[in-house]
Amino acid sequence: MRVIAGACKGRKLLAAPGLHTRPTSDILKGVIFNILGWRVVASQVVDICAGGGSLGIEALSRGASQATFFEDDPLALKVLHRNLELCSLEAVSTVIPGDARESLLWWQSPTPCNLVLLDPPYSGELVNPLLEILGSASWLAPEAIVILEHHRKIAPPVQVGFLEQYRQSGHGQSMLSFYSHL
């Protein structure tokens, strides 16, 4: 696992041991950021179910101004902090430990966020609850983009609250569903 472009290009990232987290492949990461293009620059990013932080770190490397990471697994949190340190990104990062559903209900960003990277476990049980929270989040900027990585067999809702799916892309068993905040 590595950072594939930007200021931290080529930096190797650590992955959390065990099966609790599943790092996004470099191919899928490339698809996400090629689709996003310039929209990453100066963005306020939220990386939910962050694991080792690969997606949020990639966004920061490509010019995002700040990232907030949500993760509940203690081992993944240690790896996340280490990866931020390896890339010298601690000053532009905030890590919120604990259950993402609970944390997102009380969290208020100091500035509107315009990019959300959502990579819950492939079992799918968190997809709808997290999308429902995001669909009514007051901290999302108008026209914010939410990208959900999920298993191909999971069919996420097309619209939930103020989120509307506008694109899907897949690779292998993984799918990306892109939502726009209305």
Side-chain angles (χ1 to χ4, degrees):
M1 201 169 62
R2 63 189 173 89
V3 180
I4 58 176
C8 301
K9 181 179 179 178
R11 296 257 172 89
K12 292 187 178 179
L13 299 175
L14 305 172
L19 300 175
H20 184 75
T21 60
R22 169 199 31 77
T24 300
S25 72
D26 284 354
I27 292 171
L28 206 55
K29 198 172 6 173
V31 169
I32 291 169
F33 288 97
N34 286 336
I35 290 170
L36 288 173
W38 60 269
R39 287 173 266 190
V40 175
V41 176
S43 62
Q44 298 288 320
V45 177
V46 179
D47 187 348
I48 302 170
C49 302
S54 174
L55 291 175
I57 289 170
E58 187 72 35
L60 289 168
S61 178
R62 291 175 183 243
S65 59
Q66 201 278 333
T68 302
F69 298 86
F70 289 83
E71 178 55 53
D72 68 343
D73 182 71
L75 293 175
L77 282 164
K78 287 179 183 177
V79 170
L80 172 57
H81 283 288
R82 183 67 181 127
N83 283 339
L84 290 170
E85 187 180 303
L86 288 171
C87 295
S88 301
L89 295 172
E90 307 97 323
V92 291
S93 302
T94 303
V95 177
I96 299 178
D99 183 273
R101 290 169 294 191
E102 293 175 17
S103 299
L104 287 168
L105 289 173
W106 59 260
W107 183 66
Q108 289 298 315
S109 175
T111 57
C113 298
N114 48 0
L115 177 58
V116 177
L117 304 164
L118 176 58
D119 188 9
Y122 268 24
S123 62
E125 72 247 9
L126 292 179
V127 169
N128 286 344
L130 288 171
L131 284 174
E132 287 172 12
I133 292 167
L134 293 172
S136 63
S138 62
W139 45 265
L140 276 178
E143 299 183 14
I145 296 172
V146 175
I147 302 170
L148 168 66
E149 182 181 343
H150 57 94
H151 194 278
R152 185 172 292 282
K153 292 181 181 178
I154 303 291
V158 174
Q159 186 162 6
V160 56
F162 291 102
L163 294 179
E164 184 173 63
Q165 188 183 114
Y166 68 90
R167 180 179 187 153
Q168 284 194 312
S169 183
H171 178 76
Q173 294 300 312
S174 299
M175 286 294 294
L176 300 169
S177 293
F178 291 76
Y179 291 84
S180 180
H181 185 253
L182 308 172

